[in-house]
């Protein structure tokens, strides 16, 4: 299996990757094909595909914020079961993030991720790919060590319509497993920067950011 970075929509594997994204995620979570051009050319955004026998069978997107000392896993998708794709993506991502942190001379605090609450996302079939079932995904993140940030979370939809998506939880994977809370200012600063690319922000998201900024710390809860 090959860990292949995609930096252009002209990449021969990008069309297959985008189709896989549309299979796995609901429409409001998938950026339109042409709108991927600029993000893929951004050197701080890392999009990798797992290539098996010439086919895109999985992918992960992530970024590292040296000024905040945190990473973000945008997504991890698996197109076929029983190939070890999840572990392959995890280990390669870990190595790459360690390299990025080293190059910036920083020590990471941890990594953010969004994960579906299966009780709120049951209507999504997730393409019928069993590893992408929201119950499975949530348990996998729990096994890795992610914790749920105690926050009524919403985010702006990636279809650029400005809808509030409220079926996910914001989670954090702390470097220190004993860490039980996270600075609210860090969460707010991360979210404002992360969603700066979306022009339309729902009122629910704006209110959530205000509430986060007003808090001192946010508890990290079991996922």
């Amino acid at each position: 299996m090959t860990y292949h970075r995609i930096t252009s929509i002209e990449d021969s594997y990008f069309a297959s990757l985008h189709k896989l994204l549309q299979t796995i995620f609901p429409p409001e979570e998938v950026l339109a094909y042409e709108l991927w051009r600029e993000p893929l050319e951004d050197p701080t955004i890392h999009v990798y595909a797992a290539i098996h026998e010439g086919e895109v069978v999985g992918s992960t997107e992530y970024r590292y914020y040296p000024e905040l000392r945190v990473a973000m896993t945008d997504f991890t998708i698996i197109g076929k079961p029983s190939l070890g794709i999840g572990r392959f993506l995890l280990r390669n991502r870990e190595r790459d993030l360690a390299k990025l942190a080293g190059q910036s001379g920083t020590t990471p605090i941890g990594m953010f991720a969004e994960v579906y609450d299966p009780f709120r996302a049951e209507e999504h079939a997730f393409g019928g790919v069993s590893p992408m079932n929201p119950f499975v995904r949530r348990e996998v993140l729990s096994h890795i060590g992610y914790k749920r940030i105690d926050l009524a979370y919403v985010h702006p939809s990636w279809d650029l319509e400005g809808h509030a998506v409220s079926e996910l939880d914001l989670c954090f994977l702390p470097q220190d497993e004993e860490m039980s809370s996270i600075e609210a200012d860090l969460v707010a600063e991360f979210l404002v920067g992360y969603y700066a690319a979306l022009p339309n922000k729902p009122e629910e998201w704006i209110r959530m950011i205000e509430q986060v900024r007003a808090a001192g710390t946010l508890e990290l809860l079991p996922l």
Side-chain angles (χ1 to χ4, degrees):
M1 202 175 301
T2 304
Y3 195 59
H4 171 70
R5 186 172 184 182
I6 296 179
T7 58
S8 169
I9 63 172
E10 311 302 333
D11 188 293
S12 59
Y13 291 110
F14 179 68
S16 296
L17 168 58
H18 195 261
K19 183 177 181 180
L20 184 58
L21 286 167
Q22 292 176 312
T23 300
I24 298 299
F25 294 121
E28 67 271 14
E29 290 294 292
V30 181
L31 198 62
Y33 192 101
E34 183 62 33
L35 294 180
W36 274 92
R37 182 179 298 277
E38 187 174 343
L40 287 175
E41 293 174 353
D42 184 338
T44 68
I45 298 176
H46 296 250
V47 178
Y48 280 85
I51 311 298
H52 178 66
E53 297 180 346
E55 180 184 0
V56 175
V57 294
S59 178
T60 184
E61 176 184 339
Y62 51 92
R63 57 195 84 189
Y64 182 65
Y65 299 82
E67 69 281 4
L68 300 178
R69 295 168 54 208
V70 299
M72 170 64 174
T73 303
D74 299 270
F75 64 76
T76 302
I77 55 175
I78 296 169
K80 290 185 176 182
S82 305
L83 287 176
I85 301 166
R87 179 69 177 176
F88 175 81
L89 294 172
L90 171 68
R91 295 298 290 139
N92 278 281
R93 183 176 64 223
E94 285 178 339
R95 284 191 285 266
D96 196 29
L97 284 170
K99 182 180 70 175
L100 293 172
Q103 290 172 346
S104 67
T106 59
T107 301
I109 300 170
M111 180 160 51
F112 289 99
E114 296 171 334
V115 63
Y116 280 93
D117 179 343
F119 297 102
R120 287 181 283 161
E122 286 181 305
E123 69 273 20
H124 297 314
F126 291 84
V129 182
S130 56
M132 291 290 95
N133 180 282
F135 286 96
V136 176
R137 290 171 61 83
R138 196 174 181 93
E139 187 58 31
V140 167
L141 288 192
S142 177
H143 273 66
I144 292 172
Y146 275 94
K147 300 180 180 181
R148 179 174 64 85
I149 298 175
D150 189 14
L151 171 66
Y153 185 62
V154 298
H155 77 73
S157 60
W158 285 99
D159 58 9
L160 305 184
E161 295 296 324
H163 302 306
V165 179
S166 60
E167 299 173 343
L168 299 97
D169 289 316
L170 182 64
C171 302
F172 191 70
L173 173 62
Q175 285 289 110
D176 177 5
E177 291 188 14
E178 301 303 314
M179 184 175 172
S180 60
S181 63
I182 186 171
E183 294 294 325
D185 285 344
L186 173 62
V187 175
E189 189 172 352
F190 162 72
L191 289 173
V192 170
Y194 184 69
Y195 283 105
L198 296 182
N200 299 322
K201 306 293 197 306
E203 189 61 37
E204 297 94 324
W205 185 85
I206 295 172
R207 286 198 302 268
M208 179 195 72
I209 294 296
E210 291 173 348
Q211 292 167 1
V212 170
R213 283 178 166 151
T217 59
L218 295 170
E219 193 174 357
L220 295 176
L221 304 173
L223 186 57

